Amino acid sequence: MDQVKTDPRIIRTRKLIMDTFIDLSSKKEFKDITVKDITTEAMINRATFYYHFEDIYDLLDKALSEVLLVNLKSEEYEQEELNEGSLISIFKAITNFQMSLSNRCHRGYEDTIARIIRDQLEVLFYKMLSKEHDAKENETLKIAAVMLSWGLYGASVEWRRNSQNVTPEEYIKSVIPFITKGIQ
Amino acid sequence: MDQVKTDPRIIRTRKLIMDTFIDLSSKKEFKDITVKDITTEAMINRATFYYHFEDIYDLLDKALSEVLLVNLKSEEYEQEELNEGSLISIFKAITNFQMSLSNRCHRGYEDTIARIIRDQLEVLFYKMLSKEHDAKENETLKIAAVMLSWGLYGASVEWRRNSQNVTPEEYIKSVIPFITKGIQ
DNA sequence: ATGGAAGTGTTGGATATCCAACATTTCCAT
DNA sequence: ATGGAAATGTTGGATATCCAACACTTCCAT
C-alpha cells in the first residue's frame, strides 16, 4: 500500500494528540479547548503539535475523519458493490457516528462536522462508483458521488431531527429504490 | 528536588518499555522474553532500548525496583520513624509485592528478585536510621540496614513458605520487640 | 481605553529516537 | 559437530521531538 512506511514516532505522536483531544472533547466544549491543554495533557511539546497540524481546526478535521473512517470501515466497503445492503450499512454508520458525537458536546461546530462527513462519504462513493463504471464517465461519477454524499447526509440529519422513533435501517430502506433504480 | 528536569521523551519511552515488559511478563516466562519482543510490542526501536538499559537484566532490575517502590511508597516512609507501625507496613508491602510477582512467572529468577528487594529495603532503612541517629555512627547504621533488610526479607520468604494461614501483620508483629528493643 | 495575562504560530539549536548495517554470540535441528 | 537462524550489542547519519524565545493576537478586569 504505502510505498514508504511512516516513522513510528509520527504514528505514536499523532495518536497521542488525537486520543488526548477526543478525551478532552468529552469533558469540555470544543471552543474551550486550547492547544496548550492538549499538549500538556498529552505530554508533548507545543511546537510538536504544530509540526503535525496546522491549527486546532485541522486537528478537529483529522480526528473526526479518523473516527468516522473507523465507523465506515472504509477498506471493506471499497470492495463492495453499491447496492441496497451497502447503502443501508453506510447510512447506519453515519447515524451511529452522529449519535456518538452528540454525547461529546461539539455544539457550534455542526457545519465543520457536516463538511467532514460529506467529504469522507464523497471519497468513498466515488471509489465504489468507479469500480462499476467506465473511466470515461469520470466527471459524471464525481458529481454523482457529491449528490449521494449530500443526500445521505441530509437524510441522516432529518432522521435525527424527526424520526428517531424508527430505526435508521427502516428509515432509509424505503427510499433506496429511488437511488438504485432512479425516480421513475 | 531534581535540579534539572528530565526530557519528557525519556520519561515516555522508559514507561513504554517498562509497561510493555511487565505486560509481557504476565504472558511469558522471563527467560523467553527477548529484547526484540519488548521493542516491537512497545513500538520503539531496538537501538533505543539500549540507549536506556544495558541489557534485559538491567531492565528487570529497574522495572522491579520501580514496582517495589510503588508498593513501598518510599517518600512517605522516609518521613516516618522506624517503629512498630512502620515496620509492620513495610513488611506488608514486601509480602504484597511478592504475592503480586508470583502471578507473573519469574521462575528461575528468585535470586535476582531477592537481591533487588533487599537493595531497596537497605536504602530505605539506612535513610530512616540516619534521621534518628548521629552521623558519626554511619558505618554501624549501614550494617544495621543490611541486617534489617536481610532479616525482613528472610521473614517474608518464611511466611510465604509456611505461614500463609496467618496474616503478614500477625506474623511479623510478635517479633518486632526483638527488633526495636533488642533480644534482651 | 488600557495594560497585562493567556493563547497562537514560528524559529534555531539541542537532544532522543529511528533505521540500516555490522560483527558477535546463542541456540538448535540435522 | 556443524551450519544456519535468531538474538545481542554497537555504530553513524537521518529525522522527530524538545525547549526557550520571539512577535503577534485575544480577552477581559480595572
Side-chain angles (χ1 to χ4, degrees), chain B residues 7 9-10 13 45 47-48 51-52:
Chain B
D7 192 309
R9 287 172 285 185
I10 290 185
T13 303
N45 196 278
T48 305
Y51 182 88
H52 293 280

Side-chain angles (χ1 to χ4, degrees), chain A residues 9 13 45 48 51-52:
Chain A
R9 287 172 286 186
T13 303
N45 195 278
T48 306
Y51 182 88
H52 293 280

